[in-house]
Amino acid sequence: MNEALSVMPGLWSAALQRLRGNRRALGALALLTLIVLAAAFGPLMSPYSFDHLDWQHIAAAPRLATGHWLGTDRLGRDLFVRTLSGVRISLAIGLTASLVSVVIGVAWGATAGYLGGRTDSLMMRAVDVLNALPYLFIVIALTTLFGRGNPLALFAAIGAVGWISMARIVRGQALALRHKDFIEAARASGGGSAHILARHVIPNVIGPVIVYAALTVPQMILFESFLSFLGLGVQEPLASLGSLIRDGAQEMEAAPWLLAAPAGVLLVLLLGFNLLGDGLRDALDPRER
Amino acid sequence: MPLTLLVIITLSFFIMRLAPGGPFDAEQGMAPEIKANLQAAYGLDQPLPVQYARYLRGLLRGEFGPSFKLRDVSVSELIARGFPISATLGVAALSAALLLGVPLGLGAALRRDAWPDHAATALSSFALAVPGFVVGPFLALVFGVHMHWLPVAGWQPDLRHLLLPVVTLALPAIAHVARLTRGGLLEVLRADYVRTARAKGLSEAQVILRHALRPALLPVVSFLGPAIAAIVTGSLVVETVFGLPGTGRYLVEGAINRDYTLVMGMVIVYGAVTLLANLGADLLYGWLDPRVRHE
């Protein structure tokens, strides 16, 4: 990546400057930082743990005096702590799944685009087939296979289907780079394919990758919540935002706060990532340069 | 497309068979002889390729095999029971998306940068950002629990039971269609042939209806495939939220209960629906846009 920095001086600083000028993206970044800090330290401030059953306060409404700032569910578990630990799990799954899909997608797309020819069409044909499959059903099949609630399986399943668009984007970029002079020069000076891919092709596609990765994170968070909402994601006593929303939806008549808190946090989280992603796109989009 | 379907069938068959344990392992105190008999009855004692061939032959006759967990029901019967409900829901949502989304988008494009445009843009951003499993419970809470206007859950084939689920399902699709229509029309209105049409002295309504509308809707048509896929996926949530006895429930329950044949059947049905939708959208696109037809 250092090469890319020295080859294109000003690109990164210009992008950074554009990002600094984007109030919406900065606001989103501040909001996300706040949520991350709250998820990291918030549960420590509460006297309760996420699976502690407080029999004195069953389905209690939010109240400062009881220490249950956001109330409790029907088992007397503290909603404040559960929501924040739900954010932890949603963020962890969202980030890991995005990382998995970025790594697979970049490697796949860059290889296909750089090598070109028959290898390219074969690799992209595989992507087309995968893309035609309804990905949700692959994930449901995989969760059936690995057993529900195994977070590792969940990461793998979500990441395994998320890399397809990334591969397409990177492949397009790599295809365009293939015959650029500096690539030819690297090849002429004896660089192997793996070396050229790692040192010259991938650093040059990193901009779109960052943008798309930032937009992948909220998709992955949403997808995990969706699975947990259906009961196919994380299992009790662990909570993710999706499973909290499902529990809350069942009790919304008696205890609307059980739905409001996780749903509100999820919305803010998704909105924050989407705005940040849009800001990054505006800052880094090659068409803007 | 048949090839892709075969890939779906093959993948789901072998993924399911890779799963550790068989469908009868959970039965307590079953004598080994009985288990062997059961497995023979379901053909599970045969080698894998034989089972695969038999499954494929069954599929050709429309047989998805027996459900492993629900007694005395075949997967085909479950699909026959649930599919009409899911299909009603999906068709209604898609129609709503087109019937509301297109006029909304046209209106926004024609009143560009005036308040209708801003309102439509803001509403659609919101509708796109909020997931269905938040909208559904919220609508049920407001219109069902507080106002008692509409039933919160359950299924009768009438408008009252259909309204909330369809709205939940259609909302993001409406927003998407409206955006694409707006963008499409704005793009087309800049084209040379629209200027020509105006120069001929056609009224603005004629320009739009006769010349601009068809090409402006092309982005919407190419969105139909993904839209149907999204509606199919969303119907899982909506059926769960509103307790509708559609096929989505079988897929989710099947995955929870490890009912392999049921999950497999559902994956194949939903896969086929998605593929057909994409094919239909492609054909429609070719019909609407003569430029692609000859390629």
Side-chain angles (χ1 to χ4, degrees), chain A residues 128-138 140-148 222-223 225-227 229-232 241-242 245-246 249 252-253 256 259 263 266-267 270-271 274, chain B residues 4 7-8 11 15-16 18-20 126 129-131 133-134 137-138 140-141 145 152 232-234 236-237 240-241 251-252 254-256 258-260 263 266-267 270-271 274-275 278:
Chain A
D128 286 340
V129 170
L130 272 180
N131 195 44
L133 303 182
Y135 65 112
L136 173 75
F137 305 120
I138 307 179
I140 288 185
L142 284 173
T143 47
T144 318
L145 175 59
F146 291 115
R148 285 179 298 144
L222 190 61
F223 194 48
S225 300
F226 175 77
L227 285 177
F229 177 82
L230 292 176
L232 298 169
L241 291 173
I245 290 173
R246 178 178 58 143
M252 63 189 171
E253 286 174 63
L259 177 59
L266 179 65
L267 287 188
L270 293 177
L271 194 70
N274 279 324
Chain B
T4 318
V7 171
I8 297 182
L11 269 182
I15 284 179
M16 288 304 158
L18 276 175
F126 186 72
V130 189
F133 52 87
V134 174
F138 177 76
L141 185 63
V145 176
V152 173
V232 165
T233 312
L236 294 186
V237 163
T240 308
V241 169
L251 180 62
V252 175
I256 290 175
R258 298 194 153 210
D259 192 338
Y260 299 136
V263 172
M266 289 298 143
V267 169
Y270 278 118
T274 316
L275 289 176
N278 278 321

Side-chain angles (χ1 to χ4, degrees), chain A residues 264-284:
Chain A
V265 171
L266 179 65
L267 287 188
V268 173
L269 201 59
L270 293 177
L271 194 70
F273 272 111
N274 279 324
L275 287 178
L276 183 65
D278 286 348
L280 283 173
R281 185 183 54 206
D282 292 344
L284 284 168

